[in-house]
Amino acid sequence: QKEVEQDPGPLSVPEGAIVSLNCTYSNSAFQYFMWYRQYSRKGPELLMYTYSSGNKEDGRFTAQVDKSSKYISLFIRDSQPSDSATYLCAMISTSGTYKYIFGTGTRLKVLA
Amino acid sequence: DGGITQSPKYLFRKEGQNVTLSCEQNLNHDAMYWYRQDPGQGLRLIYYSQIVNDFQKGDIAEGYSVSREKKESFPLTVTSAQKNPTAFYLCASSFRTGGTTDTQYFGPGTRLTVL
């Protein structure tokens, strides 16, 4: 079983829809959570990072962490065709063995 | 502008040749990383370095070599021993303080194709 699971998609939505992207993890030592956006043939770009359980909002993006369920989400409101990309979750554990783990990414297509 | 640069953007190599990919950062980050990305497989760690003149193997180090002579630079050599080198290579860097400052930032990538 992988430490971080992420549905590869593709996920297709109409423009303006609310998008929900998710990752689950098995190691309760993960403490810091990130979301990256990667356009085709480009390097991943950091979108959001968070530490505690709860929500963090930045413009149209909301990152949600539920440590009790080992589940993190990224919500995109009013999705645009320019949001079409692959979204990777990432997690850091600094207790015990240091780990920085990436999900495999979910490909999102926003249709105009 | 602070950031990470990788060169070249595209690289073609004949079988049996070694090739070196460049990675430079001016973010004053301590740690640097090399990843390989193949379709459907996510990011796989090749090598990482937390400090100058020191580096560790990642999950798929065979057929690769690195050096870290300067804080700003972490070149990756793909040797002829790498069986399937065609891939998208990503360099990243971060601080290493044990918190959210450890967040990795990526360069634009180098696409290597073996002919």
Side-chain angles (χ1 to χ4, degrees), chain A residues 62-80:
Chain A
T62 299
Q64 188 176 79
V65 174
D66 182 348
K67 289 186 175 179
S68 62
S69 300
K70 298 188 182 67
Y71 189 88
I72 67 171
S73 299
L74 178 70
F75 298 98
I76 307 174
R77 290 183 298 280
D78 187 23
S79 56
Q80 304 294 311

Side-chain angles (χ1 to χ4, degrees), chain A residues 32 34 36 38 41-44 46 49 51 88 92 94 98 100 102 104, chain B residues 9 35 37 42-43 88 90 96 98-100 102-108:
Chain A
Y32 305 97
M34 283 71 65
Y36 291 83
Q38 185 177 22
R41 302 180 184 179
K42 303 287 187 185
L46 179 68
Y49 65 84
Y51 168 64
L88 298 92
I92 302 175
T94 58
Y98 181 91
Y100 198 117
F102 290 89
T104 53
Chain B
K9 188 173 182 179
Y35 292 91
Q37 188 174 41
L43 297 169
F88 189 49
L90 287 160
R96 281 294 296 265
T100 53
D102 287 15
T103 304
Q104 292 184 21
Y105 294 85
F106 285 84

Side-chain angles (χ1 to χ4, degrees), chain B residues 48-110:
Chain B
Y48 66 100
S49 168
Q50 299 184 54
I51 195 170
V52 174
N53 293 323
D54 187 47
F55 47 82
Q56 286 77 42
K57 292 181 180 180
D59 301 319
I60 56 163
E62 185 175 351
Y64 300 98
S65 66
V66 294
S67 63
R68 186 86 186 276
E69 297 177 1
K70 298 188 299 182
K71 186 175 182 178
E72 302 79 16
S73 179
F74 192 41
L76 173 74
T77 296
V78 184
T79 75
S80 57
Q82 168 52 231
K83 301 300 181 189
N84 185 22
T86 294
F88 189 49
Y89 290 87
L90 287 160
C91 179
S93 69
S94 74
F95 293 113
R96 281 294 296 265
T97 59
T100 53
T101 51
D102 287 15
T103 304
Q104 292 184 21
Y105 294 85
F106 285 84
T110 293

Side-chain angles (χ1 to χ4, degrees), chain B residues 30 42 47 59 75 85 100-101 111 113 115:
Chain B
D30 308 298
Y47 268 99
D59 301 319
T100 53
T101 51
R111 175 70 186 178
T113 302
L115 303 172

